[in-house]
Structures are given as C-alpha cells and as structure tokens.
Amino acid sequence: MTGRIRVAVTGVGVRTPAGNDVKELIDRLAEGRSTAATVPAFVAHDLAVTFACRVPEFDHTPYVTLRELRQLDRTTYLAVAAATDAVAAAGLKPLPDPEQVGVSVGVGAGGLVAAEELVGEYGDRPTRVPAYTVPRMMANAAAARVAIRIGARGPALTYVLACASGAAAIGEAMQKIRCGELAVVVAGGSEAPISPVAVSSFARMRAMSERNDAPEAASRPFDAARDGFVMGEGAAFLVLENWTHARSRGAEILGELLGYGANSDAHHIVAPRPDGAVAANCMRRALTDAGLTPPQVGHVNAHGTSTPHNDLAEALAIVDCFGSDGPPVTASKGVLGHSLGAAGAVEAVVTLLSAVSGAVPPVANFVRGDETTELIDVVSGGPRLITPKPALSNSFAFGGHNVSLVFAPAADGEGR
Amino acid sequence: MQRAELAEVVRERVAGVLGVPVEEIDESTDLRQTYGVDSLELMEIGARLENSLNTRLAAEDLLGMENIGNAIDLLHERLRERP
C-alpha cells in the first residue's frame, strides 16, 4: 500500500435533527433517544404518517443573507451551512489554492420539495412563477452554492444515488484526491424532504412507519417490531484532504478515509436483494480498498433504515461479510430518522468519530432482534466502549445502489 | 393608475425582493450601487411587478430599472401606452 496518497479528514460540519454541531449530534446519539415528533402540517393533511425528524432552526446570518436565502431551497440551505462549518473547522479560510479545492455533493431527491411548492402555487398559472425558480430547483444547486460560498474553483460535482448519494459523494471525492487531481474536496450530502407530498409518496409505498401515536418509538432499526422508516432531513460535510497537504499546513487530522466500495444489486428498483449477497460484496470491496480484513473492523454503522426488508437483507449481508461472530453494529437512523441523500454523509461523520473515540452509539428503540437480525451484534441501551479501530459505514439505496466507506483513527507513517 | 399609486407598488415589490423595509426604498435609490442587485434579482423584481400590474415587461426595460425613480417613470409610460 505504500505510495498511495492517503486521505485525511480535517474538518466536519453537520445539520441534523439531533443538533447543528458535532458535539450535540454525538451526545444525542449516545443517549439513543429518537428525535421524531409530530408535524402539524401532516396532521392537517390527514397523511398516513404524521411525524418526522426535523433539523432545529438556526441563525442564517453566518451563512447567507436574507436575500440569498429566498433563492435557496432547504436542501441547498442546509448544505451551505454544514459545508461552511466544515471548512471553518478545517482552518481553511481562506482557501490556500482555490483551483485545488473541489466540491462533491450527494442529493437524493434534491429540489423535490421546491418542485412541490412550485406546482402547488403556480401549477394553474405558470406565467407567474418567480424568476428564482430555476436556480432554486436545479439538481446541482447545492454543489454550486457550496462552491460559491467557500470559493472553491475545482470541479463541483453532484451525485444522485437516492439514499446512498452522500456516501458516494465522499467516496468519489476520495478518488479525486488519490489520483492527484485535487488537494482538498469538501464532500457530503444534503436533503430536506419533509413536506406533505414527498412524505406521502414514500408512505404510499408502505415504506414508512405509521406509528403516529408514538413517533419516538417508530424508528427502531433491526428490532423485531420495526415497521418502516421515519423521514428525517439534514446535511453533513467532511473536508477531505491529501494527507501530506494537511500535514504541511499543520492541520489537525481528525481521522482517515481508508476505503470505498460501491456496486449495484441489479435486482429490483426499490427492494433490496433479500440475501444481501451483493451488499456483502460491497463491504468486501471497501475493506479490500482499505487494505483490511474483516477482523480488523471495530464496528459497523449500518444503513439500518428500520424497514422490515432492508434490515433483514443487511443483517444477512453483515453475517456474509463478517461471519457469525462479527463486530458490534449501530444504526444512527433510530435517533435521526432517514435523511435520504444526506444520510450516508451524516453517518460517515458519526462512523469517523466513533472509530476515533471507541464509543459506539446504541440503536434507539432496539429491544430484541427477530430470528435474522439477532444474528448480528446490535448495540443497545448505551454506548459500547471498544478499542479505537477502523469502522465501516453502509448506505444501501432505492435503485439497488450500495456504498460502503471505511474510516480509521489517524495513524502517522508512510501508508499502512 | 396614478403615478403615486404605481410608485407605491414598485417600492413594495423592490423591498420585498431585497428583504428591506419599504421606507428604505425611495425614488433616488440606485439598486445596483446601494444594494448590489444582480440580474437574477432584477428579473425577480420584474416578475413580481408583472404579477401585480397584470402586464408584461421587456427584459431591457427591467435592466433599466436600477434607479427607482426612472423605473416608475418608465412603467408609468408603458402602462399608459397600453390599449
């Protein structure tokens, strides 16, 4: 492995239902307490699902002016805030060489909510649409706005892989650094899908929990009583940096992005392959890329949506890859809900920080597994304290897109 | 529509796009110099004026609307020309 360019993480920024900075996020995950709550607009519309996990309001002034804010949909707004925080945390203000800095953004539905509002308001009078419509809705809006906000003049790319978008954006960004094209990539994902039509669209597929009388108990990845996912929203960005570049400017290295694997089930447009065999191969790809064997992995941050089918297939995939005596498994969606295109990026941040601290957060609402999910070691009750070690994060998406990332505590030296 | 009434509509729409109190906008306001208005914002001001005045405005007219007083004069003329 010597000679390969290593990729450091030198800053992170988040907007999540558990809080708008990393400490709040980690503290809430350690408590294992869901953030789901009733959404009055969903009750008013008599939706099948009347709750979600929302990002707390925050002051826009450090990120965008009120004038700019009107031109952004919420997905882009959350992205700009999280990315700006990540760049500040990395100490990259101003950017050393803007041409060497790229942006890599994953969005799943992107401007879906903006489109919903647009059609609701102007569908029957299209001549009256605002002049801001196109820049607000275009799928690349988040990547473009992040590039503008931080002044990055390298490529600003958008990856669309539904619920694996954020993870793919991070993995692809790593490749750009490894091949020497860029020194720094601000990489992550964003999604704000909490609106009546968007949520109802998922509910009509019967993919969501309808536990309206107890929203906080609804998201329960791998638990035997799980009955669907809970909608969330959020954004997370990591500053990925050529290791030598980070060292030479004296940056604090939070950890290392060590491996990336991606593949496709090629099975069904939304259902996962039931045996998880392709997902297991995705994890193996990421481990091979990281130069690790399964026993070297300290924990797995599962995709863990809390749908019956995902969690079943993922449990089988984890057993397939790691054997019956695999590492502890956590799933952040029990606390945060499912933020679609952002989820892989949010969970990348959580995986990195858990790998470094050795404190693996519990899965909210997990009481006991069913006969399949009990085959894996689900962390419950409180954080599991382990030796800091590399960790693997899964993102498995509608469309059959699978992505796995491997993060590790920072270890100096020439390659691994 | 009287010029004073039109002036009120223009000031309100401009203030709406810029997110400032309507009192800040007067006939001497220069949108580019004082507010750094870009072409997209100018087009949004135009879109809102079209909705309010129930008329269509040419893009070159909108680009000439940087000075509020001039904009009101221009609109006043265009609306009078209307059959």
Side-chain angles (χ1 to χ4, degrees), chain A:
Chain A
M1 298 286 288
T2 47
R4 181 156 83 173
I5 290 173
R6 295 173 66 189
V7 177
V9 181
T10 54
V12 294
V14 295
R15 287 293 177 282
T16 76
N20 291 328
D21 68 49
V22 170
K23 187 179 183 310
E24 285 176 357
L25 169 63
I26 293 303
D27 288 353
R28 181 68 180 246
L29 286 169
E31 287 176 40
R33 206 154 47 80
S34 169
T35 56
T38 299
V39 177
F42 294 177
V43 177
H45 279 286
D46 200 24
L47 297 191
V49 175
T50 57
F51 57 97
C53 302
R54 313 180 84 160
V55 170
E57 288 310 314
F58 59 94
D59 180 16
H60 68 86
T61 49
Y63 308 103
V64 290
T65 64
L66 201 54
R67 269 165 69 187
E68 288 171 294
L69 188 55
R70 295 149 188 250
Q71 301 180 19
L72 310 186
D73 79 329
R74 190 167 168 81
T75 293
T76 300
Y77 176 46
L78 297 178
V80 168
T84 304
D85 283 356
V87 170
L92 278 173
K93 288 197 327 194
L95 300 178
D97 178 2
E99 303 277 343
Q100 280 290 306
V101 181
V103 173
S104 186
V105 180
V107 292
L112 177 65
V113 172
E116 176 181 337
E117 289 167 359
L118 182 75
V119 174
E121 182 81 21
Y122 302 103
D124 58 352
R125 42 183 193 142
T127 56
R128 302 210 146 200
V129 299
Y132 295 150
T133 301
V134 172
R136 204 160 170 267
M137 283 187 41
M138 57 193 197
N140 57 319
R145 292 282 182 183
V146 167
I148 292 167
R149 178 66 179 76
I150 65 176
R153 293 207 290 265
L157 302 177
T158 304
Y159 296 89
V160 181
L161 292 77
C163 308
S165 303
I170 291 166
E172 295 296 327
M174 172 169 74
Q175 306 294 42
K176 292 209 167 283
I177 295 172
R178 279 181 175 170
C179 77
E181 183 185 344
L182 294 169
V184 176
V185 184
V186 180
S190 187
E191 198 91 67
I194 299 179
S195 73
V197 174
V199 165
S200 192
S201 301
F202 284 96
R204 299 282 275 182
M205 300 170 73
R206 308 296 163 111
M208 301 188 72
S209 171
E210 298 180 8
R211 214 178 281 249
N212 295 322
D213 53 347
E216 67 289 343
S219 189
R220 42 197 320 124
F222 300 110
D223 185 78
R226 69 189 183 276
D227 59 358
F229 83 89
V230 173
M231 192 66 90
E233 62 174 354
F237 280 82
L238 296 80
V239 175
L240 304 179
E241 190 166 353
N242 177 306
W243 192 278
T244 312
H245 187 272
R247 273 275 171 260
S248 65
R249 71 180 181 90
E252 185 195 350
I253 292 176
L254 305 176
E256 182 169 7
L257 176 52
L258 204 55
Y260 166 48
N263 66 5
S264 301
D265 274 3
H267 167 71
H268 185 274
I269 189 65
V270 293
R273 194 176 133 130
D275 64 2
V278 181
N281 285 339
C282 181
M283 291 185 245
R284 286 190 195 97
R285 279 182 191 237
L287 292 176
T288 303
D289 187 48
L292 297 177
T293 58
Q296 291 174 285
V297 172
H299 80 278
V300 173
N301 188 310
H303 187 57
T305 58
S306 187
T307 64
H309 292 304
N310 173 83
D311 294 3
L312 193 125
E314 186 169 13
L316 291 174
I318 290 170
V319 173
D320 186 338
C321 179
F322 291 95
S324 55
D325 194 23
V329 176
T330 187
S332 306
K333 292 183 182 74
V335 171
L336 303 174
H338 191 351
S339 56
L340 308 184
V346 172
E347 289 154 24
V349 170
V350 174
T351 305
L352 167 75
L353 297 175
S354 310
V356 170
S357 70
V360 184
V363 176
N365 296 313
F366 181 87
V367 180
R368 64 179 171 279
D370 56 35
E371 62 179 31
T372 305
T373 62
E374 74 176 8
L375 298 173
I376 58 172
D377 176 12
V378 178
V379 180
S380 65
R384 180 91 57 92
L385 302 179
I386 61 170
T387 312
K389 275 172 114 177
L392 182 140
S393 177
N394 285 333
S395 297
F396 303 144
F398 276 7
H401 314 292
N402 304 310
V403 176
S404 298
L405 298 171
V406 179
F407 289 94
D412 249 322
E414 292 299 311
R416 273 168 189 274

Side-chain angles (χ1 to χ4, degrees), chain B residues 1-12:
Chain B
M1 186 182 277
Q2 294 299 307
R3 192 182 181 285
E5 199 187 336
L6 178 63
E8 207 49 36
V9 173
V10 171
R11 289 173 59 219
E12 276 175 16

